[in-house]
Amino acid sequence: MILGALVVGGPVRKAICASAAIPGVFEPVVYQEKLLVDGGVLSHLGPEVARYMGASVIIGVNLAKQRSQFDQESPGMMTCILASIGIMGDELARLNRDRFDVLIERDVGNVGIMDFDHKGELREAGMAAPQKEMPKIKALSQQLDSDNWVQCFGC
């Protein structure tokens, strides 16, 4: 495995499988003699990828800000692996916070991202979170000329 390799282009199926290749959960994907795993191992938000691709303004959305507490005394191995990955992601987001011009984070208390019994709460929180950041986003949009505000890479 090569640390921090950014793959641009290639088969979509391989990209999707690699993005889902969470270490300890799914096997890595072999592509061009490299082992690829979920990019969240380095950063689940990826501001460095946006900068590399030429973005001058980066707006991040952190969906994994808060997670559920264990509801049993001895959680299973998969629960522990996923919780560990979540803890690492939280720490990476904290360390990379200053790399975003705006970082949108939802507030849902102890409802985890995979807690589908509370999908209404998650949806409402997801709709409200960007609204809190709109003043910053509008201020940034005024600093950019209209040709640079929306850019589609690879289109």
Side-chain angles (χ1 to χ4, degrees):
M1 189 163 22
I2 297 174
L3 182 63
L6 174 62
V7 178
V8 179
V12 172
R13 182 171 187 227
K14 289 236 182 221
I16 292 169
C17 290
S19 183
I22 300 168
V25 180
F26 298 109
E27 291 186 24
V29 172
V30 178
Y31 180 67
Q32 295 182 346
E33 299 181 18
K34 296 178 178 87
L35 290 177
L36 305 178
V37 297
D38 176 30
V41 169
L42 288 177
S43 174
H44 70 271
L45 296 174
E48 62 282 349
V49 175
R51 289 270 186 238
Y52 173 79
M53 296 182 80
S56 57
V57 172
I58 300 177
I59 300 171
V61 180
N62 184 7
L63 296 176
K65 181 181 172 216
Q66 296 139 333
R67 58 195 80 259
S68 306
Q69 302 296 316
F70 290 131
D71 56 2
Q72 51 196 6
E73 197 169 303
S74 180
M77 180 178 67
M78 186 60 65
T79 300
C80 287
I81 289 172
L82 292 174
S84 297
I85 292 169
I87 291 167
M88 289 186 290
D90 287 347
E91 184 63 12
L92 285 170
R94 187 185 68 76
L95 292 171
N96 288 317
R97 180 172 297 284
D98 62 337
R99 298 170 107 185
F100 295 93
D101 296 291
V102 177
L103 182 58
I104 299 169
E105 297 182 288
R106 63 189 171 73
D107 183 12
V108 293
N110 285 331
V111 177
I113 192 169
M114 301 300 285
D115 189 346
F116 298 114
D117 292 335
H118 295 92
K119 62 185 172 189
E121 286 177 63
L122 294 173
R123 183 176 45 249
E124 287 176 27
M127 297 297 285
Q131 297 305 316
K132 294 178 188 172
E133 301 298 335
M134 282 311 286
K136 291 180 193 172
I137 294 169
K138 286 180 179 179
L140 286 168
S141 72
Q142 292 173 355
Q143 294 173 13
L144 298 172
D145 63 48
S146 60
D147 293 336
N148 292 328
W149 180 237
V150 177
Q151 200 168 13
C152 179
F153 296 99
C155 295

